[in-house]
Amino acid sequence: MARKVTLKSEATRARIFEAALRVFRERGFHAATMREIAAEAGVALGAAYYYFDSKNAIVMAFYEQAQQKMLPELERTLASSRTLESRLRAIIQQKFETFAPNRALLGALSAHIDPDHPLSPFSAATAGIRDRDTAFFERAIGESGVRLPPSILPYLPRLLWLYQMGLMLFWVYDKSARQARTALLFDKTLAMMLLLIKLAGVPLLRPLYRPAGELLKAIYGEG
Amino acid sequence: MARKVTLKSEATRARIFEAALRVFRERGFHAATMREIAAEAGVALGAAYYYFDSKNAIVMAFYEQAQQKMLPELERTLASSRTLESRLRAIIQQKFETFAPNRALLGALSAHIDPDHPLSPFSAATAGIRDRDTAFFERAIGESGVRLPPSILPYLPRLLWLYQMGLMLFWVYDKSARQARTALLFDKTLAMMLLLIKLAGVPLLRPLYRPAGELLKAIYGEG
DNA sequence: CGGAAAAGTTGAACGTGTTCAAAATTAGAT
DNA sequence: ATCTAATTTTGAACACGTTCAACTTTTCCG
């Protein structure tokens, strides 16, 4: 990795990065080779590895850059809407739009379930990304007047993150025209989730929420 | 792949297969090399590829063999129990027991979400395995008197398969002593699911089941 | 400037999964 | 038994991601 932000070297890094994205888009992440990326950027193979620890690291950099780019828009969303529904809709919609030009590449970043794999959405390596994402869901809930039992509420941000991750995965591999099936999935599942949250106060569901709370504790640990 | 079942060649195939499992267990799937497997089996590198199309194919063979081994026990389970709960518990427990000696290796077979990756549980390459698995859940439901709206019932086998897959994944990566967290997860989620199915008749949930049916149709297609 | 340290750049080399043409062995027919 | 075709076995070769020692350029201090 580059130590200092020398302007020249930062330009080289950017050239390699953009060459990589270009090659990824053309050939797909797997078929793309580091040699081709280096050639496309006009540097030697070793230079690519001077700036990026690995092929995977380039995808990580891509995701982090995308996350940065989304920040202002997400802030605006939180400031300009109050209900959980409008916020969730906006946040997730924003992700779709941001990643649309590199939809397939996003697959490379989330193709792995294994929490030990660096590119897994559940890995330690992606914890930073995950936490920043989750923080927005936390804020989306925080000021929106959602009522949930205290045994469940603390887990809601992480559950929403999981929900959004599932949507993104479906989207990445959705081969329908203009990802219409994902749009349908989004609409219906969002409605169901909000309905579920609304129903939380109903006594009938109490026996379901108790084990649900214990379950979440078992999975995630204490709040 | 071997064309005919010559006894000699079948023995060689078995030697390579068992050598592979041994090396996988010792080194892990990733660290294991085809050269080491071949050496362990006492054949040249090329021989391993004569019998198995790829390193991945060995893991597939492993899963298919395990599935075969489970068959009689699963049949016995279906014959000797009637309730959905006892059947699900037995089927899933059977899987845990069968795969326990190669728990980590199972991770290699299910580490990928990408439906295009050969080893993904959602890929075309694993469709046969998936269908055979799902068939058992279908039979487990079929004769157990479960009542569900017809807009949902047809999807239940696939949903149960998904549930079981999730459990297995959690189990594979569960680092708690004797996978105690998975046991807890199994217990609680199974209870919740059965409760949910019981509640299906309650009018209050009707507004939730309607969109649920549409959702399933959107995901899986018609029945 | 001058020169040394730091930053950047190079391409050969390693170990990997996989392929393949060639060699060795076995099976089957005459 | 002999010859031919099929099956099995071999190991060199390929392209890949990655490492690294050597080389070149830039930076910085006197």
Side-chain angles (χ1 to χ4, degrees):
Chain A
M1 297 285 260
R3 298 285 171 196
K4 273 192 175 178
V5 191
T6 322
L7 271 162
K8 183 94 163 292
S9 82
E10 205 54 27
T12 309
R13 183 194 174 84
R15 230 171 53 245
I16 293 170
F17 183 66
E18 276 147 34
L21 289 194
R22 220 158 34 234
V23 177
F24 287 158
R25 268 195 299 264
E26 275 170 27
R27 294 240 189 295
F29 176 74
H30 258 106
T33 76
M34 290 297 278
R35 281 164 181 84
E36 192 180 359
I37 290 170
E40 176 87 8
V43 298
L45 176 58
Y49 281 95
Y50 180 75
Y51 288 100
F52 298 94
D53 287 345
S54 66
K55 194 178 169 187
N56 284 346
I58 304 182
V59 190
M60 291 280 282
F62 156 73
Y63 193 98
E64 268 157 14
Q65 186 208 265
Q67 207 179 37
Q68 278 295 323
K69 269 200 227 157
M70 274 185 283
L71 271 181
E73 185 65 34
L74 289 179
E75 288 293 348
R76 224 168 303 145
T77 295
L78 283 183
S80 70
S81 61
R82 291 283 133 213
T83 69
L84 186 58
E85 172 167 10
S86 60
R87 284 170 165 187
L88 286 181
R89 209 180 282 280
I91 290 175
I92 295 176
Q93 195 58 47
Q94 179 62 34
K95 302 219 166 183
F96 286 146
E97 281 165 24
T98 303
F99 287 116
N102 300 86
R103 192 170 60 100
L105 179 54
L106 194 60
L109 186 59
S110 45
H112 304 89
I113 299 174
D114 185 349
D116 292 332
H117 191 287
L119 285 191
S120 161
F122 308 104
S123 75
T126 54
I129 289 174
R130 201 164 52 243
D131 289 347
R132 281 191 292 278
D133 268 350
T134 311
F136 269 96
F137 289 114
E138 191 159 6
R139 291 172 59 196
I141 301 162
E143 319 144 11
S144 74
V146 165
R147 300 259 171 269
L148 269 185
S151 61
I152 290 182
L153 190 60
Y155 302 103
L156 193 54
R158 276 169 285 185
L159 288 175
L160 290 176
W161 176 84
L162 206 60
Y163 166 62
Q164 165 252 14
M165 182 60 60
L167 273 181
M168 300 287 282
L169 282 178
F170 195 89
W171 179 66
V172 165
Y173 301 114
D174 184 353
K175 291 185 170 65
S176 67
R178 297 166 43 92
Q179 287 69 55
R181 291 173 70 217
T182 301
L184 214 74
L185 185 70
F186 186 18
D187 248 28
K188 295 202 182 301
T189 50
L190 188 59
M192 281 181 70
M193 279 205 345
L194 294 165
L195 181 58
L196 249 173
I197 291 175
K198 278 231 180 66
L199 288 177
V202 177
L204 181 79
L205 290 180
R206 207 56 57 80
L208 205 54
Y209 278 120
R210 230 259 310 229
E214 290 170 8
L215 176 64
L216 289 168
K217 202 168 82 180
I219 296 176
Y220 284 119
E222 292 293 337
Chain B
M1 297 285 261
R3 297 288 171 194
K4 272 194 179 179
V5 191
T6 322
L7 272 162
K8 182 93 162 293
S9 81
E10 205 54 28
T12 308
R13 182 193 174 85
R15 230 173 51 245
I16 293 170
F17 183 65
E18 275 147 34
L21 289 194
R22 222 160 30 235
V23 177
F24 286 156
R25 269 195 299 264
E26 276 170 27
R27 295 241 187 294
F29 175 75
H30 257 106
T33 75
M34 289 298 277
R35 282 164 181 81
E36 192 181 357
I37 290 169
E40 177 88 9
V43 297
L45 176 57
Y49 280 95
Y50 180 76
Y51 287 100
F52 297 94
D53 287 345
S54 66
K55 196 177 167 188
N56 284 346
I58 304 182
V59 190
M60 291 280 282
F62 155 73
Y63 193 99
E64 268 158 14
Q65 188 208 265
Q67 207 179 36
Q68 278 294 325
K69 270 200 226 157
M70 273 186 280
L71 272 180
E73 185 65 34
L74 290 180
E75 288 292 349
R76 224 169 302 145
T77 294
L78 282 184
S80 70
S81 61
R82 292 282 133 212
T83 70
L84 185 60
E85 171 167 10
S86 59
R87 283 170 164 187
L88 286 181
R89 208 180 281 281
I91 290 176
I92 295 176
Q93 195 58 48
Q94 178 63 34
K95 301 218 166 185
F96 286 146
E97 281 165 24
T98 303
F99 287 116
N102 300 86
R103 193 170 60 100
L105 180 55
L106 195 60
L109 186 60
S110 45
H112 304 89
I113 300 174
D114 184 349
D116 292 333
H117 192 287
L119 285 191
S120 162
F122 308 104
S123 75
T126 54
I129 289 174
R130 201 164 52 243
D131 290 348
R132 281 190 292 278
D133 268 350
T134 311
F136 269 97
F137 288 113
E138 191 159 5
R139 291 173 58 194
I141 300 162
E143 319 145 13
S144 73
V146 165
R147 299 259 170 267
L148 269 185
S151 61
I152 290 182
L153 190 59
Y155 302 103
L156 193 56
R158 276 169 286 185
L159 288 175
L160 290 176
W161 176 83
L162 206 60
Y163 166 63
Q164 164 252 16
M165 182 60 59
L167 273 180
M168 300 287 283
L169 283 178
F170 195 90
W171 179 65
V172 164
Y173 301 115
D174 183 352
K175 292 186 168 64
S176 66
R178 295 167 45 92
Q179 285 71 55
R181 290 174 70 219
T182 302
L184 213 74
L185 186 71
F186 186 19
D187 248 28
K188 294 202 182 301
T189 50
L190 189 58
M192 282 182 69
M193 279 206 345
L194 294 165
L195 181 58
L196 249 173
I197 291 175
K198 278 232 179 63
L199 287 177
V202 177
L204 179 80
L205 290 180
R206 209 54 59 82
L208 205 55
Y209 277 121
R210 229 257 311 226
E214 289 169 10
L215 176 64
L216 289 167
K217 202 168 82 180
I219 295 176
Y220 285 120
E222 293 293 338

